[in-house]
Amino acid sequence: MSEYRLLIDGALVAGDSTMEVVNPATEEVLALAPRGSEAQLDAAVAAAKAAFPAWAARDISERRALILAFADRFEARADEFAKLLTQEQGKPLPEAQMEVAYSCVFIRQMAGYDLPVKVIEDSETRLVQQFRRPLGVVGAIIPWNFPLLIVAFKLPFALLAGNTVVLKPAPTTPLTTLRLGEILADLLPPGVVNIVTDLNDLGGRLSGHPDVAKISFTGSSATGRKVMASAAGTLKRLTLELGGNDAAIVLPGADPEKIAPGIFGGAFFNAGQTCLAIKRVYVHDSIYDEVCAQLGRLADAAVVDDGLRQGATIGPLQNRMQYEKVKGYLDSARADGRIVAGGEVEDRPGYFIRPTIVADVEDGDRIVDEEQFGPILPIIRFSDVEQALHAANSLDFGLGGSVWGDDRALARSVAERMESGTVWINKHLDFGPNVPFAGAKQSGIGSEFAEEGLHEFTQIRIVNEAR
């Protein structure tokens, strides 16, 4: 097995213990990863704190150059990272290659932003300027569904703004992040980036640590609340990108054959393990049966297999806990609705579940109201557009949503009233580093990407000078 190391104060070090990482397609141990201890986490935070003054004092152009060099080194090992990502996370190799490529795009584009001084007033009596200064040590907590891409969402802006970072990957997908540590170890000054793993037992210590100025967390709403509670003692800055139960509304007059591939892709990308995936679809009565049939055909045609096998379009669930949870949702789907396609657990090693289309369910059913985070899609019938909009807005989630239909005026009217941070029209899962991303309601606090996302890693400083 390959050797993996933590990154603490510029050194690649063994963990104080080890933990097994399982390939979800085979249920076999892929690697022994280092497991960090409380003492190692404290050492990483101390290293980041010590490195902060010199890193923050560097010109932003110097920090930018190092971030771009990181992207170059990462891209040079793209094939290695993609294969390892498929092995530890489960997604098909083409999706893993896409994640690596998009990660490099995000790193490079985010490195191109700037933090100019803003002149608020320049008059005869005073000069008022707004500066944006780094916060200090940032704790970045990464989930298991996109272990490389979500690092690329957080690390470039944190570093560009002049902060130092402690990265904590998910315990079931730490390997690709640890490989990033090998790239960073001799590129950045010691302590600027540190990587510490755990078995979900160090998150509270990181988010409550008195020397950590900000936590950037991506994960479930339940865990986000725990992070927020841990951070409250020191009033840390927080960016929380949390769970979603994204609704798609299919308007009367939409072409079922035309829209079905977009809805299917928006729901089942990464085996449905995407915070912004479509989790429930409201379809007008006039086209309900045909939309269900079209989605069912796509589900039946999907190739569920080990992501390293050519032709696989949907891989396994990432870990056993999520697999068992999704199997529970399958039971609810059978009890409350009609299975159009799928509904089966693959009889083989690995956490495989076929993509499942569930018709004839209603709001209030568990399969509709809860985020499945797996390859299950409930379809709800409606006859009145306002009724569908009300239902889409009725839950506590508000991460994303989409509206599908040929009547653009009606689609825009509905989209503008959806209570979500992002709403798409006739597409889903279209985002980029130049487009702000923020959840509404219990789907998050703060923004990522674009200028707004960079500002999340800064403290405003006003200098008010008498003339």
Side-chain angles (χ1 to χ4, degrees):
M1 292 184 181
S2 298
E3 193 171 61
Y4 296 88
R5 291 287 184 262
L6 308 178
L7 176 60
I8 300 175
D9 200 16
L12 295 169
V13 301
D16 282 345
S17 58
T18 60
M19 58 188 188
E20 294 182 344
V21 178
V22 172
N23 182 332
T26 64
E27 298 184 61
E28 296 175 349
V29 175
L30 173 64
L32 279 180
R35 178 184 175 185
S37 64
E38 290 185 356
Q40 288 181 308
L41 178 68
D42 290 344
V45 173
K49 181 180 179 182
F52 171 67
W55 181 250
R58 287 194 179 213
D59 188 82
I60 192 171
S61 63
E62 295 181 39
R63 299 196 295 263
R64 178 181 296 113
L66 288 169
I67 295 167
L68 292 173
F70 167 52
D72 292 342
R73 290 188 180 191
F74 183 12
E75 188 173 53
R77 295 171 61 177
D79 290 344
E80 172 195 350
F81 272 98
K83 182 179 179 181
L84 182 59
L85 179 58
T86 290
Q87 290 175 304
E88 74 167 343
Q89 201 281 332
K91 64 189 62 181
L93 185 59
E95 289 187 19
Q97 292 168 333
M98 186 186 309
E99 180 169 342
V100 173
Y102 282 1
S103 297
C104 293
V105 168
F106 267 80
I107 293 167
R108 289 194 175 104
Q109 291 200 21
M110 292 166 83
Y113 280 81
D114 214 334
L115 289 168
V117 178
K118 179 180 178 182
V119 177
I120 295 174
E121 182 180 332
D122 186 358
S123 65
E124 293 182 359
T125 59
R126 64 179 182 175
L127 172 63
V128 183
Q129 295 174 296
Q130 176 182 290
F131 298 81
R132 287 195 171 270
R133 306 301 304 158
L135 297 167
V137 179
V138 171
I141 302 176
I142 311 300
W144 47 255
N145 56 339
F146 292 95
L148 287 173
L149 187 60
I150 294 177
V151 169
F153 289 175
K154 302 179 186 302
L155 191 61
F157 273 171
L159 295 178
L160 187 68
N163 303 286
T164 53
V165 178
V166 177
L167 273 173
K168 191 184 83 64
T172 57
T173 56
L175 303 181
T176 47
T177 307
L178 294 172
R179 285 284 182 255
L180 290 178
E182 296 172 0
I183 294 174
L184 294 164
D186 64 351
L187 176 66
L188 300 180
V192 170
V193 175
N194 306 268
I195 301 173
V196 179
T197 59
D198 71 341
L199 273 177
N200 282 332
D201 56 341
L202 296 180
R205 191 175 187 90
L206 179 61
S207 55
H209 201 293
D211 291 332
V212 173
K214 176 185 172 68
I215 294 290
S216 181
F217 169 82
T218 298
S220 71
S221 296
T223 305
R225 284 188 282 272
K226 293 178 182 178
V227 169
M228 193 173 187
S230 297
T234 52
L235 290 179
K236 285 179 175 50
R237 305 298 188 266
L238 289 174
T239 300
L240 303 177
E241 193 269 279
L242 307 178
N245 195 341
D246 288 14
I249 299 176
V250 181
L251 300 173
D255 181 342
E257 187 175 3
K258 178 182 176 183
I259 65 171
I263 292 174
F264 186 86
F268 292 103
F269 183 74
N270 199 28
Q273 301 167 117
T274 305
C275 56
L276 275 170
I278 297 172
K279 308 287 195 335
R280 52 195 168 119
V281 183
Y282 295 87
V283 182
H284 190 263
D285 182 72
S286 61
I287 52 174
Y288 182 85
D289 291 336
E290 182 58 24
V291 169
C292 289
Q294 290 286 346
L295 290 172
R297 281 191 277 272
L298 292 170
D300 287 337
V303 179
V304 179
D305 206 344
D306 186 326
L308 289 181
R309 291 186 180 168
Q310 188 170 0
T313 58
I314 294 181
L317 277 295
Q318 198 286 311
N319 57 78
R320 176 163 289 281
M321 182 180 295
Q322 188 63 22
Y323 176 64
E324 296 297 334
K325 186 181 297 184
V326 174
K327 285 200 296 183
Y329 284 116
L330 279 183
D331 293 340
S332 298
R334 295 188 195 99
D336 296 331
R338 171 173 59 90
I339 303 295
V340 176
E344 305 157 6
V345 175
E346 296 273 311
D347 184 17
R348 57 185 292 187
Y351 309 134
F352 294 98
I353 294 177
R354 286 206 59 81
T356 299
I357 307 297
V358 188
D360 302 340
V361 287
E362 300 177 349
D363 293 294
D365 292 341
R366 178 173 179 241
I367 197 68
V368 176
D369 286 8
E370 297 181 17
E371 181 185 23
Q372 316 91 11
F373 216 69
I376 304 177
L377 185 63
I379 318 294
I380 306 101
R381 188 189 303 264
F382 74 87
S383 57
D384 178 76
V385 172
E386 295 302 314
Q387 166 204 348
L389 179 61
H390 174 77
N393 288 339
S394 65
L395 301 182
D396 290 333
F397 295 108
L399 196 58
S402 53
V403 183
W404 303 76
D406 291 339
D407 185 336
R408 292 302 180 101
L410 177 59
R412 289 193 190 99
S413 172
V414 173
E416 289 170 4
R417 291 180 289 147
M418 287 187 81
E419 296 172 357
S420 300
T422 299
V423 185
W424 294 278
I425 297 176
N426 290 324
K427 58 182 178 179
H428 205 94
L429 290 180
D430 178 15
F431 60 92
N434 61 325
V435 180
F437 173 45
K441 297 188 280 190
Q442 291 191 30
S443 285
I445 294 174
S447 298
E448 294 189 301
F449 314 161
E451 186 178 60
E452 291 85 349
L454 176 58
H455 289 173
E456 293 275 341
F457 290 96
T458 66
Q459 169 66 49
I460 289 177
R461 180 176 300 166
I462 300 295
V463 176
N464 192 330
E465 177 183 352
R467 291 293 196 187

